[in-house]
Amino acid sequence: MGLPLALFFLSGFAGLTYEVLWQRELGLLFGNSTQATATTLAVFFLGLALGSWLFGRRAARCKRPLVVFGILELLIGATALLLPLLLPLYRSLFAPLYGLLGDRPALFLLAKFVLSCLVLAPPAVLMGGTLPVLAEAAVRRGGGLARSGIVLYAVNTAGAMVGAALAGFLLPQLLGYRGAYLVACTTSVLVGLVAWTRAGAEGAARAPSAPEPAGPASSSALLALAALSGFCALGLEVLWTRMAALAFINSVYSFAAVLVLFLAALAAAAGFARWLAARATRPATVLQRLLLGSALTVLFSGTLFRAVTGSPPSVGRGEDFASYLLAVAGVLCVAVVPAALVLGTVFPFLLRAEEARGSGSAGARIGRLIAWNTLGALFGSLAAGFLLPAWFGLWPSISALAGLYALGALLVPGVDRRGRLVGFVATGVVLLVAGVHGARDGDAGDRWDLRKDEHVIKRYEGSGGSVRVVRRRGALKLRFNNSYTLGGTAEPRWEHFQAHIPMCLHGDPKRVFFLGMGTGITAGAALRHDVDLVRVAEIVPEAVRASREHFGPWLGGLFADPRTDMVVEDARTLLYGLDDEYDVVVGDLFLPWRRGTSLLYTVEQFHAVKRRLAPGGVFAQWLPLYQLSEEAYQGIVASFVEVFGKATLWRGDFFSRRPIVALIGRADDAPWDANATLAAWARLEAKGAVNFDGALTTLPFMLYAGAIRSAAPAARRITDDDPWLEFAAPLWQRARAAGTSSAFTGRTLAAYQRSLLRELPPEEDPFLSRLSAVQQRYVLGGMHFYDYAVFTKRAERARRKEASWGYFRAVPEEVQPKRDLWID
């Protein structure tokens, strides 16, 4: 049995790697919305369920099950290769499909489902058949149904854990996503070849197991419990992942840590189930107690999580990445792993209850249980992702699933009269506690993650995540998953700049596309221009609802204006799916370490934008420098200038600690019309849309530099296959928290601008040379203005004074503030 176990471990490794990479690859095509991800997951689980049922029924007829297992693995590797081969074809079909069905979301989702089925269903069905077939082989070798089935389940789950760890932490960084996918395909093929060539040791003379009996009526109860176990287990994985997102940074590592520990707990639980199955004399009573134990441990998992993380959450504060990851693992081991260990014992132990029913085909009986368990897992993940949080909230949803486990204790067949009475009483008590605890847990959870001086106006829970409108110091803020502020009303004029600068650089834009909405304040500012269309793509539906209901006074009529087209969809999906052209495209400030965000900074993303620009069109990608290292910034610049060769750099504000800048690219090489830009800015001033004093009313003051290509040739590009920023940004974020690294702001940023202007002075720059001599001096004035904001330490007083005099020499006297405010 040693070789089949080793092979099945590798099969589990490859299977989980496939699942992770399939979701990512199809996310690139269909979008990273929750609905698109759920579509991929649904196809995968349905395929597993169908394969378990189909191959389980036929396992008894196999003369050499290990050969069949080898053939299945070979076919998995072969059919998995269909995905990279079919993706180019799918991309060519996507735009026509979106044009045909984009305004009918349900039909478009169905089209995505059908396309996913064509490429994912074959390998998923084959994967589903591996456990029933191997279980049949193991039973023929003399192992019992429960013992063989549980051991195989544990080993495969352990392999899946390793696959989750390598796919989440290591393989994409070392090999890229295509290389990681090739490793999974190669593993499947090698497993298949070894199983096939070594199948002679199986012994062809062994007879197939007995034909499957009809079975007593209690079988339906076991199938229901298998489905309930899958529903609750996968539902809890989704809810616990959402819970973790409220306390941990939403990086690829955090999500991988939750998945790895969850699978590790399931593998360990299966090992315990094997020990328990060998000693249980009354399996029905043991199963009943396991379900009640699952209910109790799940019920208090949320409470434990909040207690361990603190209020507000402060996990790993000030620690480097390794220490932070250990802190995350410690929190999960206290709050989640105990519950996962108990609930993970339920399904493997069902095999012991199935064994007690009598004889029959091992493959058919195990395959049937796995099929129902997988279907339950599918519906559990969908319910937890789309329905439960929206209906009850996150914390009461966890309590609701705990209650389902308690109800499951009433379904256990074969319990004696006394045990059934005890079960009714215990279930009633647990349900009562779950109801009370769920109500109180919801209230406590709403207050738990609040920061100092914050007041929650409203919380939105849904498929996109947790979104809150909070009031702090008189201003509203929109916060996503407690870790990312989407915007606020404290200084809306700076958010207006994010629309005004690129639109004025175009001169007279009519069609504008915003990739990301946030609060909507920036998109609303676009309506101050003479536009025909302002299209806004936002992937989080709860953010759209919150903006509509609470930020109206700051949006300039965004939701009421007929020129606005608000689309709840992945912006990348719209770029690939629509053939429309735009005069201006504006990329929002994207959190670099959030999982999936790096795809908005890739060469392929910038090419997709450029294809949608009309002649003379302008693209602005805003960057939060306070969330970027210098390496990350240079990587984004290198990727940008590979597509937009004549890129320029503009500042969005003069904050020394939290500055933002915009990379500006154009659709063609047509020369910049400086007069049209300044005229557009003057029209805004006439409307009162630019309400600054002094030099800030002059657009060139916001210029960093003209041509910036020379600053980026050696930097590593970010691509869809190598989105290294997704893995590097969380490491840098923790290094900054530990004080061993710093953001690309302050003195580093000031030195960078000086080097750009020194390398290419305004009068020699192909972009800045189109400005008048006075306007070029404004560019230098902006540099000195930022220097003045940066050099604030007592020891830097001379530098500060130098910056102030540099500003006065560069900027005309009529727009200067009083000098005594500067020279101290």
Side-chain angles (χ1 to χ4, degrees), residues 734-817:
R734 296 316 308 171
R736 181 188 177 196
T740 58
S741 183
S742 59
F744 191 50
T745 60
R747 293 158 184 79
T748 306
L749 181 59
Y752 172 71
Q753 186 186 9
R754 287 195 297 273
S755 70
L756 288 178
L757 293 177
R758 184 169 55 250
E759 180 180 339
L760 203 61
E763 62 274 12
E764 300 177 13
D765 187 291
F767 186 84
L768 300 183
S769 59
R770 295 182 175 276
L771 297 171
S772 68
V774 173
Q775 291 164 348
Q776 291 176 12
R777 287 166 54 196
Y778 272 103
V779 177
L780 298 176
M783 178 188 72
H784 293 303
F785 192 89
Y786 185 74
D787 285 351
Y788 182 85
V790 166
F791 298 112
T792 57
K793 294 182 179 180
R794 183 178 297 274
E796 298 172 329
R797 185 172 181 180
R799 296 287 302 273
R800 186 174 172 87
K801 183 174 292 188
E802 178 187 345
S804 67
W805 282 113
Y807 171 83
F808 287 127
R809 287 192 297 269
V811 177
E813 185 173 353
E814 61 268 19
V815 296
Q816 294 177 5

Side-chain angles (χ1 to χ4, degrees), residues 541-625:
E542 294 76 21
V544 176
R545 288 180 54 203
S547 175
R548 184 193 303 270
E549 294 176 10
H550 296 280
F551 289 83
W554 296 272
L555 301 184
L558 180 66
F559 287 98
D561 198 301
R563 296 174 294 174
T564 301
D565 179 28
M566 186 70 63
V567 186
V568 181
E569 182 58 271
D570 189 333
R572 188 160 170 151
T573 299
L574 296 183
L575 288 173
Y576 281 101
L578 293 175
D579 290 330
D580 295 353
E581 290 186 339
Y582 306 95
D583 299 312
V584 173
V585 177
V586 181
D588 199 3
L589 296 165
F590 302 121
L591 191 67
W593 53 77
R594 185 184 169 202
R595 187 180 66 162
T597 299
S598 65
L599 296 174
L600 298 171
Y601 292 131
T602 63
V603 173
E604 292 85 352
Q605 167 72 3
F606 296 145
H607 271 300
V609 172
K610 191 172 185 178
R611 287 193 294 268
R612 293 291 168 254
L613 289 177
V618 172
F619 173 46
Q621 179 58 66
W622 288 97
L623 304 178
L625 295 184

Side-chain angles (χ1 to χ4, degrees), residues 78-121:
T79 54
L81 287 173
L82 289 174
L83 179 62
L85 296 176
L86 288 178
L87 277 179
L89 174 62
Y90 277 24
R91 288 194 177 97
S92 65
L93 292 174
F94 189 74
L97 273 176
Y98 191 88
L100 184 65
L101 304 174
D103 57 347
R104 288 172 281 183
L107 288 178
F108 188 50
L109 194 63
L110 179 61
K112 292 180 182 179
F113 180 81
V114 171
L115 290 175
S116 298
C117 282
L118 293 176
V119 71
L120 298 189

Side-chain angles (χ1 to χ4, degrees), residues 332-689:
L332 295 174
C333 285
V334 171
V336 171
V337 170
L341 284 170
V342 181
L343 67 87
T345 312
V346 173
F347 177 72
F349 196 81
L350 281 173
L351 299 178
R352 173 67 178 86
E354 175 67 25
E355 184 180 53
R357 293 179 55 241
S359 62
S361 165
R365 298 164 74 186
I366 290 177
R368 188 170 53 199
L369 283 174
I370 293 174
W372 281 90
N373 182 259
T374 306
L375 285 175
L378 165 62
F379 289 107
S381 62
L382 294 178
F386 290 93
L387 303 178
L388 295 180
W391 289 350
F392 308 119
L394 171 62
W395 310 105
S397 294
I398 295 175
S399 297
L401 291 184
L404 276 182
Y405 271 116
L407 288 173
L410 301 179
L411 299 177
V412 177
V415 179
D416 58 29
R417 185 175 180 181
R418 179 176 179 276
R420 191 162 297 280
L421 178 62
V422 171
F424 270 112
V425 174
T427 298
V429 172
V430 171
L431 289 176
L432 179 62
V433 173
V436 175
H437 181 77
R440 297 183 62 184
D441 218 30
D443 294 337
D446 287 341
R447 298 189 301 270
W448 157 70
D449 53 356
L450 281 178
R451 303 176 188 180
K452 187 178 180 181
D453 301 327
E454 279 189 352
H455 172 66
V456 175
I457 304 299
K458 191 169 182 179
R459 182 189 295 267
Y460 299 83
E461 296 279 358
S463 61
S466 177
V467 172
R468 293 185 311 176
V469 180
V470 300
R471 185 181 300 279
R472 188 181 187 191
R473 297 173 184 172
L476 295 183
K477 288 188 176 183
L478 190 61
R479 189 163 292 142
F480 177 68
N481 280 352
N482 195 45
S483 62
Y484 184 25
T485 300
L486 300 176
T489 61
E491 286 284 357
R493 55 185 181 175
W494 294 113
E495 296 193 40
H496 294 164
F497 261 35
Q498 294 173 42
H500 292 329
I501 289 177
M503 294 180 73
C504 287
L505 285 173
H506 181 278
D508 188 25
K510 298 301 180 184
R511 298 174 60 84
V512 186
F513 186 16
F514 286 88
L515 311 180
M517 185 190 73
T519 59
I521 292 176
T522 298
L527 296 172
R528 301 300 298 270
H529 298 254
D530 185 19
V531 295
D532 297 330
L533 172 70
V534 174
R535 177 167 287 152
V536 186
E538 175 56 52
I539 196 171
V540 182
E542 294 76 21
V544 176
R545 288 180 54 203
S547 175
R548 184 193 303 270
E549 294 176 10
H550 296 280
F551 289 83
W554 296 272
L555 301 184
L558 180 66
F559 287 98
D561 198 301
R563 296 174 294 174
T564 301
D565 179 28
M566 186 70 63
V567 186
V568 181
E569 182 58 271
D570 189 333
R572 188 160 170 151
T573 299
L574 296 183
L575 288 173
Y576 281 101
L578 293 175
D579 290 330
D580 295 353
E581 290 186 339
Y582 306 95
D583 299 312
V584 173
V585 177
V586 181
D588 199 3
L589 296 165
F590 302 121
L591 191 67
W593 53 77
R594 185 184 169 202
R595 187 180 66 162
T597 299
S598 65
L599 296 174
L600 298 171
Y601 292 131
T602 63
V603 173
E604 292 85 352
Q605 167 72 3
F606 296 145
H607 271 300
V609 172
K610 191 172 185 178
R611 287 193 294 268
R612 293 291 168 254
L613 289 177
V618 172
F619 173 46
Q621 179 58 66
W622 288 97
L623 304 178
L625 295 184
Y626 55 94
Q627 295 172 340
L628 295 173
S629 64
E630 184 172 1
E631 178 191 20
Y633 167 78
Q634 293 290 6
I636 295 172
V637 170
S639 305
F640 191 89
V641 298
E642 183 169 312
V643 179
F644 298 97
K646 296 183 178 180
T648 57
L649 185 66
W650 292 72
R651 69 177 88 247
D653 53 47
F654 286 91
F655 300 141
S656 60
R657 294 184 178 181
R658 298 174 65 86
I660 65 172
V661 298
L663 295 172
I664 302 290
R666 304 183 72 86
D668 46 44
D669 293 332
W672 174 48
D673 188 345
N675 291 328
T677 294
L678 296 175
W681 191 260
R683 290 195 295 271
L684 285 179
E685 289 182 305
K687 295 178 181 179

